[in-house]
Amino acid sequence: MFVTPLIATAFVRSISTARHSSSKVSTFAARLPRLSPSSFLPNPAAKQFHHCASTQQLDMYWNRETSKPSAFHEGEIIREARIIALSDPNDVYNEPLYYRPLPDGSKLLAVGSSAEDFDKEEIISQKPNVMFVSHPNSRGPLVELLKKFPSLEWVHTRSAGIDFIASEDLAKSNVTLTNAKGMFSSTLAEYCMMACSYFAKDLPRLMKQKNNIQWQQYPVLELRGSTLGVVGYGDIGRASAKLAKAYGMRVLGLKRNASSFSDPYCDHVYGIDGLHSLMAESDYILISTPLTEQTRGMISADVLSHCKQSAVIINVGRGPIIDENALIEVLKEGKIKGAGLDVMTIEPLPESSPLWTLDNVLLSPHNMDMTLTFMRESTEFFINENLPRFVKGKQLLNPVDKAAGY
């Protein structure tokens, strides 16, 4: 059964409810007046960044700090965007997609969280050609929908990581895949520098002394002159490097394709075969690579053995990139100084995990990119930037290599 749109005030639910609602489907014939999206757009005065990559390559990717709103809102519409959303119908962050007018030439056909939700003649007959994905359990339904709707041309995911939808079927399909790269980098870069300072200034000791009403001075470390190694020098890594440079740090990067890469914020870039060298040279090691079959377990016991005893591991990528048991061992044995972890192998982190009780671990519940507007901004990016490009036959932003996983 179809669920007609509710008025916006009735739509707003708690985030917890929105994330755990049951499978439903909605069609959208009428919409509420669209609110101004200006608060979700970047500062037009922000300067574009530049590095050795070509301007054409840079123009393919969005960055919420530096990118300017596109000029693709004018021009001839050459095709229609007939959208299905593999999403929770009660997801408050998708309200701009569900309840506001879309760009000319675009229409939302249905929303559902399972393939069966779209098994309706009124949907099938319209031959949907665009899929918006935000439901966390989308891998299986996405494969089914690719088979059900051969008319699909483009799949867009609201997240930057695609590990939750990656599959052999998707990789072999003919659809174009785009993501939300560049939407979450700035706040994760801030967390990276906070984690560096947490250990450099020994914040655990400060807080303990305050609780004990104890005045005892002690020496602290400077970030200036230390080295930040970035495993996965992409958008998040670059945003972190930019801040690290402001602190006077040296920055090393690691990229799959490093031979022709240079960047003003990166002092030296290694290829994959330079991972041991990066670990050995770095005082702070940021893990910001996406999770793929190649990166799963990449930071192994052997790799960790190359770290300085004073090194700090900071993970904002995905938990399984690090061998968590090996990390726990080196933390327990004092073979590295500490770890700042925003992601874990199992989330929520089990209460039995030793990570909870280790004094040299800074834990956060995978929320360091969770600003008040982060997901809504991501939905707005799909609506305001990529949909106009699609209907006017322009290059879509944030193309993803489906086989590589990013």
Side-chain angles (χ1 to χ4, degrees):
M1 217 164 145
F2 292 99
V3 180
T4 56
L6 306 176
I7 60 174
T9 53
F11 173 78
V12 178
R13 310 273 179 89
S14 71
I15 293 175
S16 176
T17 301
R19 287 181 175 176
H20 297 93
S21 62
S22 60
S23 171
K24 291 184 258 184
V25 63
S26 303
T27 53
F28 298 81
R31 300 179 182 276
L32 298 175
R34 187 174 192 169
L35 302 179
S36 171
S38 60
S39 60
F40 306 121
L41 297 178
N43 181 356
K47 294 181 180 179
Q48 296 284 356
F49 65 79
H50 299 278
H51 57 68
C52 74
S54 69
T55 302
Q56 184 177 10
Q57 287 175 314
L58 289 175
D59 289 345
M60 292 170 62
Y61 297 99
W62 178 262
N63 183 282
R64 70 193 291 264
E65 289 186 84
T66 57
S67 297
K68 297 179 180 179
S70 72
F72 289 143
H73 297 289
E74 297 180 359
E76 182 183 359
I77 295 173
I78 66 171
R79 60 181 169 186
E80 189 178 43
R82 301 179 298 277
I83 309 161
I84 56 175
L86 185 53
S87 308
D88 184 341
N90 294 317
D91 188 331
V92 296
Y93 297 122
N94 286 343
E95 185 267 340
L97 175 64
Y98 297 167
Y99 293 103
R100 300 181 190 174
L102 298 177
D104 291 344
S106 307
K107 62 180 179 180
L108 181 62
L109 304 181
V111 177
S113 52
S114 72
E116 291 73 24
D117 289 337
F118 301 94
D119 195 16
K120 314 288 181 182
E121 181 56 37
E122 52 264 58
I123 301 171
I124 298 170
S125 63
Q126 296 190 68
K127 298 182 177 180
N129 59 354
V130 177
M131 188 192 308
F132 175 85
V133 182
S134 65
H135 197 282
N137 300 317
S138 291
R139 182 180 287 108
L142 174 56
V143 170
E144 293 182 59
L145 290 171
L146 288 173
K147 296 174 181 177
K148 185 187 296 285
F149 298 117
S151 54
L152 284 169
E153 302 173 46
W154 169 35
V155 174
H156 178 86
T157 172
R158 189 179 66 179
S159 66
I162 69 159
D163 48 288
F164 76 110
I165 61 169
S167 69
E168 186 175 349
D169 293 274
L170 176 60
K172 291 181 177 179
S173 72
N174 294 322
V175 299
T176 296
L177 178 64
T178 59
N179 66 358
K181 176 185 173 75
M183 295 302 301
F184 314 111
S185 304
S186 57
T187 184
L188 290 175
E190 292 174 9
Y191 167 76
C192 173
M193 300 315 300
M194 184 272 284
C196 291
S197 296
Y198 178 89
F199 289 99
K201 311 308 180 189
D202 199 352
L203 261 65
R205 178 171 178 170
L206 275 183
M207 293 184 287
K208 187 178 295 184
Q209 288 186 185
K210 182 177 183 295
N211 288 336
N212 294 336
I213 317 178
Q214 181 184 19
W215 181 277
Q216 183 178 356
Q217 293 180 327
Y218 61 91
V220 297
L221 298 176
E222 289 185 277
L223 293 182
R224 182 177 62 87
S226 61
T227 298
L228 174 68
V230 180
V231 178
Y233 196 91
D235 203 73
I236 296 170
R238 189 175 195 274
S240 301
K242 183 178 179 180
L243 294 186
K245 279 298 176 185
Y247 278 76
M249 299 177 75
R250 176 174 177 250
V251 177
L252 305 176
L254 186 93
K255 287 183 69 70
R256 182 180 60 163
N257 300 314
S259 58
S260 61
F261 179 85
S262 68
D263 184 272
Y265 302 126
C266 186
D267 296 286
H268 181 75
V269 62
Y270 286 106
I272 297 300
D273 59 355
L275 178 58
H276 288 175
S277 296
L278 180 142
M279 302 296 280
E281 293 180 55
S282 301
D283 301 294
Y284 303 90
I285 300 159
L286 175 68
I287 312 300
S288 55
T289 188
L291 177 63
T292 67
E293 286 308 306
Q294 289 69 42
T295 63
R296 185 180 297 273
M298 178 183 189
I299 308 303
S300 62
D302 177 57
V303 170
L304 289 169
S305 72
H306 288 79
C307 290
K308 299 177 181 179
Q309 191 173 1
S310 58
V312 172
I313 302 286
I314 303 165
N315 192 4
V316 297
R318 289 291 188 268
I321 295 168
I322 299 179
D323 181 336
E324 198 166 277
N325 290 328
L327 177 63
I328 290 170
E329 286 306 307
V330 296
L331 286 165
K332 282 181 175 179
E333 296 171 6
K335 292 182 177 179
I336 64 172
K337 184 175 185 177
L341 306 175
D342 187 49
V343 289
M344 295 82 192
T345 300
I346 299 175
E347 296 179 4
L349 183 66
E351 292 181 8
S352 59
S353 172
L355 292 171
W356 287 110
T357 57
L358 289 174
D359 291 336
N360 55 348
V361 175
L362 171 65
L363 287 178
S364 52
H366 201 160
N367 71 325
M368 289 296 103
D369 59 356
M370 198 175 289
T371 67
L372 293 175
T373 61
F374 79 129
M375 281 301 185
R376 185 179 292 265
E377 286 184 43
S378 187
T379 302
E380 289 279 357
F381 163 73
F382 168 73
I383 297 169
N384 295 331
E385 295 298 327
N386 263 351
L387 270 181
R389 284 174 164 80
F390 180 81
V391 298
K392 291 164 187 177
K394 304 291 185 179
Q395 169 70 48
L396 296 176
L397 293 175
N398 294 354
V400 175
D401 183 329
K402 294 175 292 185
Y406 56 92

